[in-house]
Amino acid sequence: MKPLKVALLGCGVVGSQVIRLMHEQAADLAARIGAPLELAGVAVRRLGRKRDIDIDPSLLTTDAEALVTRDDVDIVIEVIGGIEPARTLIVSALSKGKSVVTANKALLAEDGGTLHEAARNGNGDLYFEASVAGAIPLLRPLRESLAGDHVKRVLGIVNGTTNYILDKMDSTGASFTDALEEAQTLGYAEADPTADVEGFDAAAKAAILAGLAFHSRVTAAEVHREGITEITATDVASAKEMGYVIKLLAICARADDGRSFGVRVHPAMIPRSHPLAGVREAYNAVFVEAESAGELMFYGKGAGGAPTASAVLGDLVAVARNRLAGTRGPEESTYADLVAHPMGETVTRCHVALDVADKPGVLARVAELFSKHDVSIQTVRQEGRGDDAQLVIVTHRATDAALTATMEGLRELDIVRAVASVMRVEGDE
């Protein structure tokens, strides 16, 4: 059959692996699709740069716009990342009736609506499995396999860099700075790790997950975001003593009112008995809780050239099959039109460590303040004496606004020398 021609935007870590897999698996891909794939061109920033893979120089171009709008191109793969020029190029391709496969989580989370509208108007496919959790098949199950179910909650580790850092802090007692430096040395963290350690990467992924799970349009701006830069070796050691581990979690949960949801990214303590506690190094894992299916867990490599390219190729096969059949995959589903409620309305639990004065009545006054803000205490223990006196409190569930007000009140009490740490707790009651 006539080959389907593919334009590739980007030839970096992921793009080079896409080319490798297209070459090595050409016969198998053709058999699975029903027609061969042919690389029509590769858009790059600099033509003379040394690349990780041998590629015919005649395929390289710096004119990405001309490449994606060529009449003979059927499918465009975008792996350059960022907002622009990726958005303009994807919209141009879709407007010309091309199908697009992208791994661009930042763009999807900021302006996915524009991309989906362009796909609908141009009658093309927009697939983006590689945008969240690398090689892990996660988005298609949410978008297709669970389309007949009611997803209630998505909870997981979706950033390998932060998971590696927190895992090393837990297993070796390293500081945040030392663990980050090790991650950078091994290639798990960028030279500028801000997007990872401040939670921006995970927040973009959480927005995509929430949108698919709750059939609503969600942007990264609606995601409550906290990073891990303030986590200390003392915090990690304290959690370990209590039988907990600290992870950066993405949490998307429907509200009981049926009209809203919460979506957040922040570090949290989870019991060591929880399956997510055993997710080590740079791996990812995501729980999906559905009304009929129950709890499902997806686990695997969440980043890297080859794993991400695997997800890209899976999407490539899907859109190629659709193109041959003259059909399209599922469009964006936003019929539910739920709204993201603010973090203050989110119900959560907290572990609080207070440096307190060593004298009678301290516990009573602290408990009175918690009661004033309708925050129930689950457990409390007193540690140390004199200048080392400390109260360690774990709350029952309460709104984040109530917990925040309680923390502010504690800082004003004359018997509290300092709020040593505040950490949300997930995974048990």
Side-chain angles (χ1 to χ4, degrees):
M1 291 187 66
K2 181 181 177 181
L4 291 170
K5 293 197 173 184
V6 180
L8 177 64
L9 306 181
C11 193
V13 174
V14 177
S16 61
Q17 291 300 309
V18 169
I19 294 171
R20 179 183 66 80
L21 291 175
M22 285 182 65
H23 287 165
E24 291 179 359
Q25 301 182 20
D28 287 336
L29 292 171
R32 295 166 191 167
I33 292 168
L37 296 173
E38 180 182 318
L39 192 61
V42 182
V44 295
R45 290 181 181 176
R46 295 183 294 277
L47 294 176
R49 181 181 176 183
K50 185 177 180 181
R51 309 192 187 282
D52 295 335
I53 191 168
D54 290 331
I55 183 171
D56 183 350
S58 67
L59 292 174
L60 299 177
T61 178
T62 56
D63 193 343
E65 178 69 24
L67 176 62
V68 301
T69 55
R70 270 172 43 181
D71 290 338
D72 63 329
V73 167
D74 300 291
I75 300 166
V76 173
I77 298 174
E78 183 272 313
V79 288
I80 56 177
I83 306 302
E84 289 292 356
R87 173 169 47 199
T88 298
L89 293 170
I90 290 174
V91 170
S92 292
L94 292 169
S95 299
K96 288 283 188 178
K98 322 295 185 184
S99 294
V100 171
V101 173
T102 178
N104 197 327
K105 55 189 171 287
L107 177 55
L108 287 160
E110 178 172 308
D111 198 15
T114 295
L115 306 188
H116 286 290
E117 183 178 352
R120 183 165 53 252
N121 293 338
N123 199 34
D125 272 329
L126 177 64
Y127 275 56
F128 46 93
E129 183 67 60
S131 64
V132 179
I136 305 172
L138 175 60
L139 302 191
R140 200 170 301 168
L142 280 173
R143 188 157 74 157
E144 300 178 30
S145 304
L146 293 172
D149 211 333
H150 184 80
V151 176
K152 297 187 291 185
R153 192 166 185 252
V154 180
L155 166 73
I157 298 164
V158 295
N159 182 272
T161 300
T162 52
N163 199 59
Y164 182 89
I165 292 169
L166 291 172
D167 180 49
K168 288 304 173 185
M169 292 176 71
D170 179 76
S171 60
T172 69
S175 66
F176 169 80
T177 300
D178 289 342
L180 171 59
E181 288 178 355
E182 182 177 340
Q184 289 172 320
T185 300
L186 295 173
Y188 292 132
E190 301 287 344
D192 179 1
T194 303
D196 293 317
V197 299
E198 294 292 358
F200 291 101
D201 175 85
K205 295 171 180 176
I208 296 169
L209 290 171
L212 291 175
F214 306 142
H215 300 278
S216 303
R217 187 167 290 172
V218 185
T219 67
E222 296 172 290
V223 181
H224 174 82
R225 176 192 54 80
E226 299 173 27
I228 66 167
T229 55
E230 300 301 317
I231 304 297
T232 66
T234 302
D235 294 329
V236 174
S238 177
K240 194 171 188 177
E241 288 177 6
M242 297 176 59
Y244 287 83
V245 63
I246 298 175
K247 298 289 187 182
L248 183 72
L249 299 180
I251 306 168
C252 316
R254 284 182 187 261
D256 294 336
D257 61 16
R259 299 186 300 274
S260 65
F261 61 88
V263 54
R264 50 197 165 105
V265 167
H266 56 71
M269 292 169 49
I270 57 174
R272 290 187 176 269
S273 58
H274 195 284
L276 288 178
V279 179
R280 304 291 304 278
E281 298 196 337
Y283 279 76
N284 285 189
V286 178
F287 269 96
V288 177
E289 182 182 346
E291 193 169 90
S292 298
E295 287 189 347
L296 308 170
M297 181 173 175
F298 301 83
Y299 170 85
K301 292 184 177 180
T308 305
S310 171
V312 169
L313 265 290
D315 279 352
L316 177 59
V317 169
V319 300
R321 286 172 172 169
N322 291 345
R323 202 160 185 91
L324 286 179
T327 62
R328 294 179 59 211
E331 293 185 359
E332 180 189 29
S333 175
T334 59
Y335 76 91
D337 199 25
L338 305 183
V339 296
H341 59 242
M343 185 62 186
E345 296 178 13
T346 299
V347 176
T348 185
R349 300 172 60 223
C350 268
H351 168 275
V352 184
L354 305 173
D355 294 334
V356 296
D358 185 10
K359 61 182 181 180
V362 169
L363 178 56
R365 289 186 62 188
V366 168
E368 181 182 9
L369 183 63
F370 274 79
S371 177
K372 175 184 176 183
H373 294 287
D374 294 323
V375 178
S376 176
I377 294 175
Q378 182 185 32
T379 63
V380 60
R381 74 176 191 272
Q382 295 177 267
E383 299 177 346
R385 291 183 178 277
D387 291 340
D388 295 325
Q390 191 173 73
L391 283 181
V392 178
I393 298 167
V394 178
T395 72
H396 283 292
R397 294 192 175 275
T399 66
D400 199 75
L403 290 166
T404 299
T406 303
M407 296 308 109
E408 292 173 353
L410 288 170
R411 291 184 175 93
E412 295 176 359
L413 287 181
D414 58 351
I415 57 171
V416 176
R417 298 196 304 272
V419 178
S421 67
V422 180
M423 183 74 62
R424 295 183 182 88
V425 181
E426 296 289 336
D428 73 352
E429 184 56 49

